[in-house]
Amino acid sequence: MPSLYVNESILIHAPIQQVFDTVANFGTWSEWSPWLVADPDCEIKIDGEASQAGGCYQWNGDVCGQGSMTHMKVEAPHRLVEQLTFIKPFRSQAEVLFEFESVGDQTRVNWIMNGTWPWLLFWMKKQMAIFISMDYHRGLKRLKTLIETGSIPAQTTISPGLVTPQKFTFLGQRGQCEWADIATEIGKSLESTQSKLAAAAVTQAEQVVTVYEKVDLKKQRLEFLTGYVTAEQTPCPAGLIKHQVGGEQSVHIQHVGCYGFLDDSWSAIYQIARARQNKPSSTPSYELNRNLPDKTPKSELISELYLPVKR
């Protein structure tokens, strides 16, 4: 079978023993798992001692599928060796490593997968390596936040079926950027739009729409259109684009909390669509921010995520 290798790392402001103990304890995994955001009703079971060799973390869910992770070696505080077994949606196995290293008053965590990929799905190998790498990145970010602050400041609510949102008209600008720069670049676009609206004496609503027109996972780049919600009859000032979204049946997630964890909700919405066999339409996905971060505490920020799908 084709090999599959992924390695992601992060620095956490905490002693190595604390970080090791958190990761070694399967009882904490549901708090920082990057996958359970998409499958909150997933059945979780822990067999054996949660932090000892032989301990086993099992899951079975409509979105996450079915599988297990078993502690093969627990070498405190530097290394964990895990056996990862997938049962559904297809059978596969991999060795997973967590490596821990003290770096001053911080701890570096490496999350590594050494696995194989079914021959019949060899054409998906590169894509899956990208997806798993992104999942590991999100999981490590959640782990870091949990250890450093004691909680993860974001909640996700998944609509049980398809929704048809009302139509929104907005005035804004197009942009493109590296994935890592999305918050900065969207912020710059909104500042520029705000200036143009003010110059044209157009009153802006305190809601923002961002349409993700093109996303290149391999190159980690995206093209977007972002702006402020306005009345449909509002004239479009020079230098701005008038656009409308909504009105199509969509998979929907509400994200409440820090924008830094919106990538968890966006990953979840695509996982849910695949699990429900909802095929995305040609209309790009979009996000409606119902309040503004300069006027709202991070914990109260509300974002509505929509993935339009085919009928």
Side-chain angles (χ1 to χ4, degrees):
M1 290 186 177
S3 61
L4 184 66
Y5 178 81
V6 173
N7 185 353
E8 289 291 328
S9 67
I10 201 167
L11 280 171
I12 298 176
H13 289 268
I16 188 171
Q17 189 67 56
Q18 179 187 354
V19 177
F20 178 90
D21 288 345
T22 302
V23 177
N25 181 4
F26 281 143
T28 72
W29 280 40
S30 295
E31 297 182 72
W32 58 271
S33 166
W35 298 286
L36 293 184
V37 175
D39 201 355
D41 296 327
C42 182
E43 180 183 350
I44 302 296
K45 180 181 178 182
I46 299 174
D47 284 339
E49 293 293 329
S51 300
Q52 301 298 320
C56 183
Y57 178 92
Q58 302 174 48
W59 66 89
N60 189 355
D62 294 335
V63 179
C64 291
Q66 184 178 1
S68 65
M69 184 84 80
T70 303
H71 287 321
M72 304 305 292
K73 294 181 182 180
V74 179
E75 301 171 354
H78 295 291
R79 193 166 181 259
L80 291 167
V81 181
E82 314 286 348
Q83 177 68 56
L84 173 62
T85 301
F86 293 107
I87 299 173
K88 294 179 181 179
F90 50 80
R91 291 186 176 272
S92 181
Q93 286 191 330
E95 179 185 65
V96 172
L97 305 174
F98 289 95
E99 296 178 342
F100 307 84
E101 176 189 4
S102 292
V103 182
D105 60 351
Q106 302 181 83
T107 300
R108 176 177 287 114
V109 183
N110 286 300
W111 191 355
I112 303 165
M113 172 189 277
N114 280 311
T116 56
W117 193 250
W119 277 110
L120 291 176
L121 300 175
F122 76 93
W123 53 275
M124 290 180 60
K125 187 185 124 178
K126 289 184 178 179
Q127 185 181 41
M128 284 307 301
I130 292 172
F131 287 152
I132 294 170
S133 180
M134 292 172 68
D135 289 344
Y136 279 17
H137 174 79
R138 293 187 298 104
L140 289 172
K141 181 174 62 174
R142 291 174 68 85
L143 175 67
K144 174 183 173 72
T145 303
L146 177 65
I147 291 174
E148 292 181 355
T149 71
S151 64
I152 297 169
Q155 295 181 344
T156 297
T157 302
I158 302 164
S159 293
L162 297 177
V163 303
T164 304
Q166 68 181 85
K167 293 183 179 181
F168 300 95
T169 300
F170 66 99
L171 298 170
Q173 299 181 79
R174 284 193 166 89
Q176 55 182 301
C177 63
E178 302 288 337
W179 191 270
D181 299 328
I182 182 171
T184 300
E185 294 304 315
I186 286 180
K188 289 179 181 178
S189 291
L190 290 174
E191 285 182 12
S192 176
T193 296
Q194 195 173 39
S195 296
K196 289 180 170 62
L197 291 174
V202 175
T203 301
Q204 68 183 61
E206 294 191 355
Q207 295 186 340
V208 168
V209 174
T210 301
V211 180
Y212 297 99
E213 297 185 309
K214 184 177 181 181
V215 179
D216 189 326
L217 294 178
K218 185 176 181 181
K219 294 182 179 179
Q220 296 286 286
R221 289 190 60 83
L222 57 85
E223 298 175 10
F224 61 86
L225 172 58
T226 189
Y228 290 94
V229 174
T230 187
E232 186 175 355
Q233 66 271 20
T234 302
C236 184
L240 295 181
I241 297 167
K242 191 174 186 178
H243 193 73
Q244 189 175 75
V245 294
E248 295 186 46
Q249 64 176 8
S250 305
V251 181
H252 168 251
I253 283 180
Q254 184 183 78
H255 176 101
V256 178
C258 178
Y259 287 167
F261 294 95
L262 272 168
D263 52 352
D264 285 332
S265 294
W266 274 116
S267 175
I269 206 169
Y270 281 93
Q271 292 179 61
I272 291 163
R274 285 195 295 271
R276 294 178 180 174
Q277 298 184 338
N278 297 137
K279 294 184 178 181
S281 72
S282 58
T283 302
S285 57
Y286 60 96
E287 173 184 320
L288 171 66
N289 304 121
R290 291 200 175 275
N291 41 26
L292 300 179
D294 58 341
K295 299 181 180 180
T296 310
K298 287 184 178 181
S299 61
E300 298 176 15
L301 292 169
I302 300 173
S303 301
E304 311 286 353
L305 280 57
Y306 296 98
L307 174 62
V309 296
K310 297 178 180 178
R311 294 186 179 275

